[in-house]
Amino acid sequence: MTTNTDRASLASVRIGGLSLIAAAVGFIAVFSYLAARFDYPQVLDGSASEVLPKLLALGEAGRGVWVVYAFLPLLLIPAGVGAVAALRRVAPDAMRAAMAASVLAAVSMLLGLARWPSVHWELGRAYATATPDARLAIDAVFRGLNVYLGNYIGEFLGELSLSAFFALVGIALLRDARRWVGWGSIVTGTIGMIAAMRNITPAVALVADANNYVLPVWLVTLGVVLYRLPSARGVRAEEASPAEASQRSVTSIAR
């Protein structure tokens, strides 16, 4: 018999899978828009005098795109909930860590991206009418926020946490006898961890470039797998024939 808990767990798994797919599609759409209109991500290396006027030139529509981009990482939270609902019975410790990693990744990336439609937007407005001395101060704040919120929080901490989430989910999938997707998730997590070091050493530049393609593909792949994954062993049991279910009950009582 299907219980309310089973239904809620299965719904969490499916919502988690859809969240990963939506995150991948959203990231690709927004990234493509910003690459065409804002020369993103190459523009991140520019100074305030170069970047802030381009940012304001995007207009309110472009600012709205940045807002969407900033909040897209929050989809990792329901994805983490879904992964835990699906795999906690086979790897409880790994999935508790995976849930923490998904939340940390979501918040870190949100903080890193949200600086653009908020603080940087206001810096851009101030820069347009600022004196030369004030512009030097604005440029220092702009660069400092890019390093702190962008490089350290959004990219390094956020991407490391997301990669840890993939690796932990991969371990749980292996324990659930899903070998190809388990190893795929572990490999993707490993690539992401190496790519997160790109601000420390240029030696991982090629891995970072590869990660830009691997990440959205794996988000969609894992989302599809998670959506189709049984929420728990109890859900699998309820799909068994009545005779099989009765036999399992008798065996359980005998034990």
Side-chain angles (χ1 to χ4, degrees), residues 4 15 28 34 37 60 65 67-68 83 86 99 102 109 149 164 166 175 188 192 217 243 254:
N4 290 335
I15 291 172
I28 292 172
L34 292 174
R37 298 288 303 276
E60 290 301 321
V65 171
V67 171
V68 172
M99 183 71 248
S102 69
M109 291 181 178
L149 290 177
F166 286 147
R175 293 182 181 177
T188 301
V217 171

Side-chain angles (χ1 to χ4, degrees), residues 1-14 231 235 238:
M1 182 176 65
T2 303
T3 66
N4 290 335
T5 301
D6 292 333
R7 294 193 187 97
S9 184
L10 184 56
S12 296
V13 175
R14 288 180 173 171
S231 61
V235 174
E238 76 180 36

Side-chain angles (χ1 to χ4, degrees), residues 34-81:
L34 292 174
R37 298 288 303 276
F38 191 51
D39 195 28
Y40 183 80
Q42 288 78 11
V43 73
L44 299 180
D45 296 326
S47 63
S49 62
E50 299 169 320
V51 179
L52 294 179
K54 290 183 179 180
L55 179 64
L56 293 182
L58 291 175
E60 290 301 321
R63 187 181 190 183
V65 171
W66 269 114
V67 171
V68 172
Y69 197 11
F71 283 95
L72 275 175
L74 293 182
L75 288 170
L76 295 173
I77 296 177
V81 172

